[in-house]
Amino acid sequence: MRKIMVTALSAVLLLALGPTAARAAATTEIEVFWTTLVARGAAVDVNFGITCPADVDGAVTVAITQTRDDGLIASGTTTEDFSCRNGGILNISRVTASVLGAPFERGRARLTMLVTGAAPISQNVRLQN
């Protein structure tokens, strides 16, 4: 379900931005610095930076999925707008655990990010307190 939502958001962003996304893709980069558990696993703060051309506006979608030690799945997604001025921004996005799922716990998780004008990233991260 989440993959479908992220794919649909990607398609909408690419269609809406058209040539702007293609032009910015060559120089827009994402770097994840750290992930921190919040409120006993009810959410995860993701600290990241975006390097981009001046005066770029767009959206960032952050998704985290974790298979906990007890076998339950914790996941969440958030989408925020950003405005990139002077070549880059630093940001913290809070990904809230799905109401119908389990809370996040310390350990490995899968983080996926989609930023307007950048190649999507998908990497393993370590959730920490």
Side-chain angles (χ1 to χ4, degrees):
M1 180 72 160
R2 300 222 186 282
K3 287 183 182 180
I4 293 170
M5 186 170 76
V6 170
T7 303
L9 286 172
S10 306
V12 169
L13 287 174
L14 289 175
L15 289 174
L17 296 175
T20 304
R23 184 190 57 188
T27 58
T28 302
E29 296 179 12
I30 312 162
E31 184 175 354
V32 177
F33 299 118
W34 66 80
T35 55
T36 307
L37 289 171
V38 179
R40 296 184 185 172
V44 174
D45 281 348
V46 179
N47 185 298
F48 62 93
I50 301 173
T51 304
C52 51
D55 301 330
V56 172
D57 296 326
V60 59
T61 300
V62 182
I64 297 177
T65 303
Q66 180 183 49
T67 302
R68 297 169 20 128
D69 291 338
D70 57 9
L72 296 175
I73 303 293
S75 64
T77 303
T78 187
T79 300
E80 300 175 5
D81 292 330
F82 73 90
S83 183
C84 193
R85 304 288 179 250
N86 300 323
I89 62 167
L90 297 175
N91 195 20
I92 297 177
S93 289
R94 182 161 286 176
V95 179
T96 305
S98 172
V99 174
L100 300 176
F104 294 105
E105 66 181 10
R106 287 179 57 179
R108 292 179 58 112
R110 190 74 178 160
L111 175 120
T112 304
M113 288 183 68
L114 177 65
V115 175
T116 303
I121 64 168
S122 186
Q123 65 187 46
N124 290 322
V125 294
R126 184 141 194 93
L127 304 181
Q128 303 177 43
N129 289 339

